[in-house]
Amino acid sequence: MNYQLKILIVEDNPDDAELIVLELEQANYQVFYQQVDTGEAMANAMESQAWDVIISDYSMPSFSAFAALDLFKQLNLDIPFIVVSGSIGEETAAQLMRNGAHDYLLKHNLTRLAPAIDRELREAKIRCERKQALEKVEFLAFYDELTKLPNRHAFLETLQQYVDHGDNFAVVFIEIDQYRQIKYGFGHIKSEQLIINIATRLKDNLQPGDFLARIGKDEFALIFTNCDAVNNVEKIATELHCLIDPPFDLQGFIIYASITIGIVDSSIGFRESAEFLRAAEIANHNAKKQGLQNIGVLYNQQMQTQALKRLQTESELRQAISNHEVKLFYQPIVELSNFKLAGFEALIRWQHPQKGWISPDEFIPLAEETGLIIPLGEFILETAYNQIKIWQDQLSDYLPLSLSVNMSCVQLEEIAIVPQIINKYQSLGLDGVTLKLEITESSLMNNTPKIIQCLQQFRVAGIQISIDDFGTGYSSLSYLKNLPIDVLKIDRAFVSRIEERKDFGIMQAIIALAQTLDLDVVSEGIETTAQMELLRSLGCKYGQGYLFSPAIPADKIQNWLKKINRENIDYKSLVANSLGAKHFT
């Protein structure tokens, strides 16, 4: 096999040059060469052509190996430079090597030439690869490999310079809202193309003095100079939205993207760049929570206080789950026609050692955001399973019963959770106690295909499905009839206004809809006998709320049953007693 080799031969004798070429051709090299014998000719040759090897005679009438080496070093080349001479002393050879020559040979003994070139080419390749690796490491220390924009480290260093100089600026944190959906829907390559296109749009619209960086997978940060963000939040945000709103054509795929924007102004007075970036990110988080209500949010100190409180609550919640400070309470569900016990809803309660009872409205959303809903959900289900087993014996006179447990869509995203729940439920061997899983209407609508598949598996296994907080979403008849569900639970917001005849028509329509679809209806938040009577008149079969009982510990349930079974129940007394005992529902 012939190997191509481009050699620049610095030699005044053509015959000697031919001997060098002949030696290499005999070693299976296909040689392309140029012979030069002056500094000017050598410089012109190196500028016009990339060479694999330079071979130089030691002494020529108007040039020398030392002069050739000086020119070679000026061009900062990293290719083999080999000296071939008729006669050369050891001291001179050593001096040539110190000056940058890689090897030297005698013209009357060229048998070592090909092996020397092989060795030096390999070493040059290793040096080149090492240099490229180091350059890449240095590049990645300050730049994003995908977009070639500065990275988080470079952004913080640059921002610190603005802070130290006392410049007026605004830091803008931008997050791509649908990055994950685009990645999972269109694939990794398309999502990367989208990021590159967004980076290009942002970069092409920078003004002198501005600075752009990619600081996360779907996050960019900007420094706008000479900008009064306090009075121009809407203007800044609108301009950025206008940049990103037009569709992206990704090789035939038309994709729309939207962004969430958080802004912090230099007047806030932080001294560290990391504080500015963290503040902009906190503002972005607040913008995300507000949804379409704000196109951009300006940071204020209250956001930092809220963020610290949230972080503290997250830490305390982790500890609470580990220390079993969270407990299950059970709110009875009764038949409205005869007040017969139909089942219970399991409701999580957190009794903080210093703060007392903490509302689920405070910690459940946080648990879903942080992933703590997974261990918390495991605790809820395990406790519910144990309680179901106890009730099958303890409440045998009241069977059949059901126990409703709230499920988060975050839990259902766990690959193994569906078979885990089904296997555990079926292993209990229950007779007369049914498990019902509740999922909110809004969660179901936002995650329909995957969630429906999970719900179908549950129903096949004998686990019933309830839509919780029904009426707060946008479900339609055609939508509902295709869902694998058994129960509609009407949100307490509708029940609370039924006495004033507000939303009465909506309640009537929901109950009629459920009856058409052969679904049971449970009304939540019943607090007065008037509400109960109206719901009964509409055909609502089941109810729960303070009229009957707040959520109570498992060991208080038998006392409640004695009270609910008394003849001639005094509803007013029942309401007063229940309201006085409530925690949270």
Side-chain angles (χ1 to χ4, degrees), residues 167 182 198:
D167 297 330
I182 292 169
I198 289 174

Side-chain angles (χ1 to χ4, degrees), residues 8 13 32 71 254 276 279 303 306 313 323 329 360 388 395 414-415 430-431 436 446 464 469 487 548 560 573:
L8 180 61
N13 188 333
F32 167 83
L71 185 57
I254 303 300
F276 277 100
M303 293 179 187
Q306 292 171 345
T313 303
N323 296 344
F329 280 45
I388 286 176
L395 304 181
E414 293 289 300
I415 296 175
L430 298 174
D431 181 18
K436 293 182 179 179
N446 291 332
Q464 295 189 0
D469 299 336
V487 182
F548 311 109
W560 175 83
S573 173

Side-chain angles (χ1 to χ4, degrees), residues 200-363:
T200 300
R201 284 191 189 178
L202 293 171
K203 185 177 180 181
D204 289 348
N205 285 272
L206 290 178
Q207 300 298 316
D210 294 344
F211 190 84
L212 170 67
R214 184 188 181 205
I215 59 172
K217 284 186 177 181
D218 55 353
E219 298 166 345
F220 294 87
L222 281 155
I223 303 173
F224 285 146
T225 55
N226 299 314
C227 176
D228 178 10
V230 174
N231 297 311
N232 291 282
V233 172
E234 189 170 341
K235 179 176 180 291
I236 294 170
T238 299
E239 289 176 353
L240 288 170
H241 278 288
C242 288
L243 276 179
I244 306 302
D245 282 348
F248 294 86
D249 186 351
L250 306 181
Q251 297 178 348
F253 287 84
I254 303 300
I255 295 177
Y256 288 84
S258 62
I259 55 177
T260 309
I261 298 171
I263 305 172
V264 60
D265 188 78
S266 58
S267 61
I268 202 74
F270 295 134
R271 297 311 309 157
E272 299 294 330
S273 59
E275 293 180 286
F276 277 100
L277 185 57
R278 182 173 61 250
E281 189 169 359
I282 290 172
N284 177 272
H285 178 74
N286 278 265
K288 189 176 289 291
K289 287 198 298 184
Q290 295 173 26
L292 296 177
Q293 297 175 25
N294 279 290
I295 60 173
V297 170
L298 183 68
Y299 172 83
N300 58 56
Q301 292 288 0
Q302 187 178 0
M303 293 179 187
Q304 177 73 10
T305 303
Q306 292 171 345
L308 288 173
K309 181 182 178 183
R310 180 179 181 275
L311 186 62
Q312 182 180 0
T313 303
E314 178 187 345
S315 176
E316 291 174 345
L317 181 57
R318 288 182 187 275
Q319 189 174 7
I321 296 171
S322 300
N323 296 344
H324 303 292
E325 293 171 14
V326 289
K327 304 180 186 303
L328 274 193
F329 280 45
Y330 302 89
Q331 185 167 45
I333 300 171
V334 302
E335 288 192 45
L336 297 183
S337 61
N338 56 19
F339 305 106
K340 180 182 176 183
L341 178 64
F344 298 90
E345 179 180 357
L347 296 167
I348 192 69
R349 298 290 181 258
W350 177 10
Q351 189 172 22
H352 193 281
Q354 285 82 42
K355 301 174 183 176
W357 293 103
I358 297 179
S359 168
D361 292 340
E362 289 188 37
F363 67 86

Side-chain angles (χ1 to χ4, degrees), residues 10-12 36-39 42 54-72 81 83-84 92 96 99:
V10 185
E11 172 64 67
D12 62 330
V36 296
D37 60 1
T38 66
M42 180 180 175
I54 297 175
I55 297 177
S56 175
D57 190 7
Y58 170 67
S59 179
M60 292 158 281
S62 57
F63 204 35
S64 70
F66 283 108
L69 275 171
D70 289 340
L71 185 57
F72 171 75
F81 188 106
V83 177
V84 177
T92 302
L96 286 167
N99 274 29

Side-chain angles (χ1 to χ4, degrees), residues 441-442 444-445 448 467 470-483 485 488 509-510 513-514 516-517 519:
E441 181 184 13
S442 56
L444 183 58
M445 293 181 67
T448 304
I467 294 187
F470 187 77
T472 58
Y474 304 93
S475 300
S476 65
L477 176 61
S478 60
Y479 173 77
L480 279 177
K481 71 180 183 181
N482 293 320
L483 292 178
I485 58 175
L488 292 185
I510 291 174
L513 173 63
T516 301
L517 297 174
L519 302 174

